[in-house]
Amino acid sequence: MATEIKENGVNKQFAVPYYEIPYEKFFQFGMSVDSIVFGYHDDQLKVLLIKRGAAPFQGQLALPGDLVYPNETIEVAAHRILKDLTGIDEHNVEQTKTYSAVDRHPVARVITTGVYSIIDIAKHDPHASAWAEGVYWTSLEDVPQLAFDHDQILKDAVDILRNKVRKEPIGFELLPEKFTLADLQNLYEALLNVKFDKANFRKRILSAKFLKDLNEFQEGVPHRPARLYSFDSDKYDELRANGFSIQI
Amino acid sequence: MATEIKENGVNKQFAVPYYEIPYEKFFQFGMSVDSIVFGYHDDQLKVLLIKRGAAPFQGQLALPGDLVYPNETIEVAAHRILKDLTGIDEHNVEQTKTYSAVDRHPVARVITTGVYSIIDIAKHDPHASAWAEGVYWTSLEDVPQLAFDHDQILKDAVDILRNKVRKEPIGFELLPEKFTLADLQNLYEALLNVKFDKANFRKRILSAKFLKDLNEFQEGVPHRPARLYSFDSDKYDELRANGFSIQI
DNA sequence: AATACTTATAGTCATTTGTACAATTAGTTC
DNA sequence: GAACTAATTGTACAAATGACTATAAGTATT
């Protein structure tokens, strides 16, 4: 290891020789994370927006997001921030893209990473807290102009979600433990904003073999009760390990 | 717009009320970019590595990357840095992921975004400059342990590249203006590390209709000369606009 | 208790796509 | 001209897709 030159406890040798810009300037970025939380309920796909209660863009709708703490990863920050602003706790996030336009934040140089997740609206009860003045589940077609570059961030996230959904079982956590094929079809139709033929959807899903037939049936419906299934994640992992991938 | 509280020219109202951590601490991130440059030549897929001539990880192989300037986007920085370190100028980059583990950089808090591109090895002549002590085209299977978390960054990039390649025409800039179907097949085989049946590959590609038949033929080959094609980007854009997507 | 109504599920069938492989073609080299 | 190499075309069967019909199993209505 080469000799280390330390200043304020920070080794700067690796950067110094090649830049004319003062060293400190390289370490003045703010990092933020913006969550695209998709929600599903009653066959509808929505996105969670907050009303900003602080400048900039005070009063305007935005994706829930904020600055990353110095000792956090993006993913940890996403979890904390979403909980702070909306009370929503549990969610598995995945990155979309990182946005670094120099003027994307009107106040400081802030680079942001988008992360998305899908949750069951019925299982969560968001409420505005911290500097959020309101939280709203909004249908995609009703989303108004958002703060910052959040329009673009949301658009990109929708694209990524729809691509993902077609390639692997996603969103089983959005259905009850036991669900019917019609439930599953409704979920996919809401996520993708398309309609499938019922008979063919059934064939395709069943041929993928990651559903467990529970040999139970719906009750209390005013028509022929449907068969209940559950998601067989062991089977799915096994299929996946063998390089298998479905196509919806 | 709410009243703005400025300090050192920076509006801090939006952050201050909710954090116990001093404001400045949120703006001490370093941002870097690491380029995964895939190269193609002689039916081989390689990745461009540099030997680090500065701490940390001095002497070790790494992806070419460095800190983003305060006035640059990630993409602009990627271009500049790759040129500085290797002399490679033109390349279209796309993001892979952003890495934010708190200790991923041993010296400072640096978040990095991966970007990848594919270039024709024959058309570029990389040479080490700035703090790079060497530049190497390395076959994927020969890549040693890399600096930082670059092993993971490279692995993720390969996955993303391979996914991408299967879904849209990519890498036509890696072939000469006029190429044969065998050339194209070799390219895909190198990128994906698989083998295709020649007859079936031909049928699939031609049915996608984004190749222009030039009605010209190879010359000087010791066997039946192959028909030459070029990539018809007008046709491709048209197909793409109609929601069309190929599957290799 | 028969009929209407609703949704689930099964089956049919023509079409397209995928895959393996054989056959033919068009050049060069010996 | 025969042998060789690789390009290209063709063929045959399997599998997947998609539109559609038929039947089943419940409840609600009369």
Side-chain angles (χ1 to χ4, degrees), chain B residues 150-163:
Chain B
H150 288 189
D151 294 310
Q152 185 65 43
I153 296 177
L154 174 58
K155 182 175 169 305
D156 290 345
V158 170
D159 286 349
I160 288 168
L161 171 71
R162 291 195 168 149
N163 259 307

Side-chain angles (χ1 to χ4, degrees), chain A residues 6-91:
Chain A
K6 295 217 180 190
E7 196 172 291
N8 298 328
V10 175
N11 177 331
K12 44 185 289 193
Q13 180 188 336
F14 72 102
V16 163
Y18 308 110
Y19 303 119
E20 297 92 42
I21 299 181
Y23 173 75
E24 310 78 47
K25 289 281 182 190
F26 287 97
F27 294 94
Q28 295 183 359
F29 286 89
M31 187 72 211
S32 72
V33 58
D34 289 300
S35 292
I36 305 95
V37 182
F38 293 108
Y40 176 72
H41 187 53
D42 276 350
D43 308 342
Q44 287 237 302
L45 180 66
K46 308 207 164 186
V47 64
L48 191 69
L49 300 178
I50 61 161
K51 184 188 227 174
R52 292 181 58 87
F57 296 102
Q58 182 159 21
Q60 201 167 335
L61 289 180
L63 297 170
D66 206 339
L67 295 170
V68 174
Y69 277 176
N71 61 345
E72 280 176 329
T73 63
I74 289 169
E75 287 73 14
V76 166
H79 183 264
R80 170 184 58 79
I81 291 164
L82 189 67
K83 180 150 185 231
D84 276 1
L85 292 176
T86 72
I88 291 180
D89 195 344
E90 170 219 284
H91 70 310

Side-chain angles (χ1 to χ4, degrees), chain B residues 154-209:
Chain B
L154 174 58
K155 182 175 169 305
D156 290 345
V158 170
D159 286 349
I160 288 168
L161 171 71
R162 291 195 168 149
N163 259 307
K164 180 111 181 174
V165 157
R166 287 189 169 275
K167 284 193 302 190
E168 46 188 288
I170 197 177
F172 280 90
E173 61 284 8
L174 304 184
L175 294 173
E177 181 65 32
K178 305 170 177 186
F179 54 85
T180 69
L181 288 175
D183 292 336
L184 187 59
Q185 182 171 353
N186 286 331
L187 169 60
Y188 272 96
E189 290 182 343
L191 290 177
L192 295 171
N193 198 28
V194 294
K195 290 286 174 196
F196 294 113
D197 176 273
K198 211 196 295 190
N200 295 334
F201 179 83
R202 156 183 311 270
K203 274 184 277 188
R204 217 158 351 154
I205 290 290
L206 289 179
S207 73
K209 298 211 189 309

Side-chain angles (χ1 to χ4, degrees), chain B residues 93-106:
Chain B
V93 304
E94 250 177 283
Q95 285 187 21
T96 60
K97 270 192 64 180
T98 296
Y99 299 83
S100 62
V102 173
D103 59 356
R104 62 168 297 283
H105 193 297

